[in-house]
Amino acid sequence: MSGSNVNQLEALAQIGDLDIRLDQISHHVTNLPEREIRAGIEAELGVLASEAKVLDAQIADLERQQRRHEDEVARIEAKRAHNSERLYDSHLTSPKEAEALTAEADALGRHQTEIEDQILELMEELEPLHEARANLGRRGSAATERMAAVDAAIGTAEGEAGKERDEVLDQRAVLVNSADPALMSVYEERRAAARGAPVLGRLVGTTCSACHLEVPSVDYERITQLAPDELAECPQCGALLVR
């Protein structure tokens, strides 16, 4: 077996190892545990947003009622002030008119008290809703902070993985430039068809490193007797064997 053939097959094996490492890097980045944490935070924020929407609608409805009552109180107060001016107007001489104004003032006063009681009830209803809304805001802020921390961790991991990927790709490029184009063609075709399954392994003793199964003795004898420039395949998994 010539040295050039040994180097070519070993270069192919090293390229295979680098491709496995590239797949591992991609898998690691895709399946970072922080991504699952991030998904959980996203779901939490979604729930908080839904709860906030319901609370906001309830608060807005009660506040509209409160404003309507407050506007009515303002109108009553203006009416009472106007009647008071008329009642004490020096030009008012009719006892019946004075009596009517006094009666109306009493009625307006009672009505104002009723409405102010309703305003107090609305304020009592609003208080726990505002507290609940503020709590949702605090929880949302905390979740957003956790999200930022997780995103930073993901960014750091992606950056580190990117650097390693670039280093591996540089090593691979050097090996590919020195590899036998025919061998590379066969390897790349097998790799494209395998869709992630091992396509290349080493014959370690009588075991294929791709599938970790022992090569039957008959096949082992045949493979070891092949010419150095002939490609061998594992009879168990079909991977190319470097020997």
Side-chain angles (χ1 to χ4, degrees):
M1 181 180 292
S2 66
S4 61
N5 284 325
V6 171
N7 291 336
Q8 285 294 324
L9 291 175
E10 180 57 31
L12 190 64
Q14 292 178 19
I15 290 170
D17 291 340
L18 293 177
D19 285 336
I20 290 173
R21 183 56 192 152
L22 288 172
D23 290 340
Q24 291 172 340
I25 293 171
S26 296
H27 182 271
H28 171 68
V29 171
T30 301
N31 297 278
L32 287 171
E34 289 83 359
R35 296 196 191 281
E36 185 174 352
I37 296 172
R38 192 184 196 285
I41 297 174
E42 283 182 332
E44 180 183 351
L45 286 171
V47 171
L48 292 175
S50 297
E51 293 178 1
K53 185 176 181 180
V54 172
L55 279 175
D56 287 342
Q58 293 174 336
I59 291 171
D61 180 58
L62 293 175
E63 287 181 339
R64 278 193 298 270
Q65 295 181 48
Q66 181 179 341
R67 286 193 298 271
R68 187 169 65 249
H69 290 330
E70 288 172 345
D71 290 343
E72 188 171 357
V73 167
R75 287 193 296 270
I76 292 172
E77 288 178 340
K79 179 66 174 175
R80 292 180 68 187
H82 176 68
N83 288 352
S84 179
E85 289 178 4
R86 290 181 59 198
L87 185 61
Y88 295 103
D89 190 337
S90 59
H91 295 90
L92 181 65
T93 58
S94 171
K96 288 186 178 180
E97 187 177 358
E99 184 180 348
L101 287 173
T102 301
E104 185 179 9
D106 291 341
L108 288 171
R110 289 192 297 272
H111 186 43
Q112 180 175 341
T113 299
E114 292 174 357
I115 296 174
E116 288 175 341
D117 287 343
Q118 292 175 10
I119 291 174
L120 289 175
E121 291 175 2
L122 288 170
M123 293 174 67
E124 289 175 356
E125 287 186 61
L126 279 166
E127 184 176 357
L129 294 180
H130 281 303
E131 290 178 358
R133 186 62 181 84
N135 183 51
L136 282 179
R138 289 190 292 270
R139 290 168 61 189
S141 297
T144 300
E145 290 178 4
R146 285 187 280 119
M147 177 76 82
V150 170
D151 284 341
I154 291 174
T156 298
E158 288 178 338
E160 293 174 351
K163 290 179 182 178
E164 184 179 1
R165 183 186 297 109
D166 290 342
E167 293 173 358
V168 173
L169 287 172
D170 288 343
Q171 296 174 32
R172 188 183 194 278
V174 171
L175 288 170
V176 169
N177 287 335
S178 63
D180 183 343
L183 286 176
M184 283 302 305
S185 178
V186 172
Y187 169 71
E188 294 292 4
E189 287 177 5
R190 293 286 190 93
R191 186 162 171 257
R195 297 181 180 179
V199 297
L200 190 146
R202 288 183 173 84
L203 186 61
V204 182
T206 59
T207 301
C208 168
S209 66
C211 62
H212 306 290
L213 296 176
E214 186 173 355
V215 176
S217 56
V218 174
D219 293 305
Y220 176 79
E221 291 297 330
R222 175 181 58 78
I223 290 171
T224 54
Q225 291 176 12
L226 291 174
D229 57 351
E230 287 187 71
L231 289 174
E233 291 184 359
C234 171
Q236 306 281 27
C237 66
L240 298 173
L241 279 178
V242 175
R243 58 210 186 275

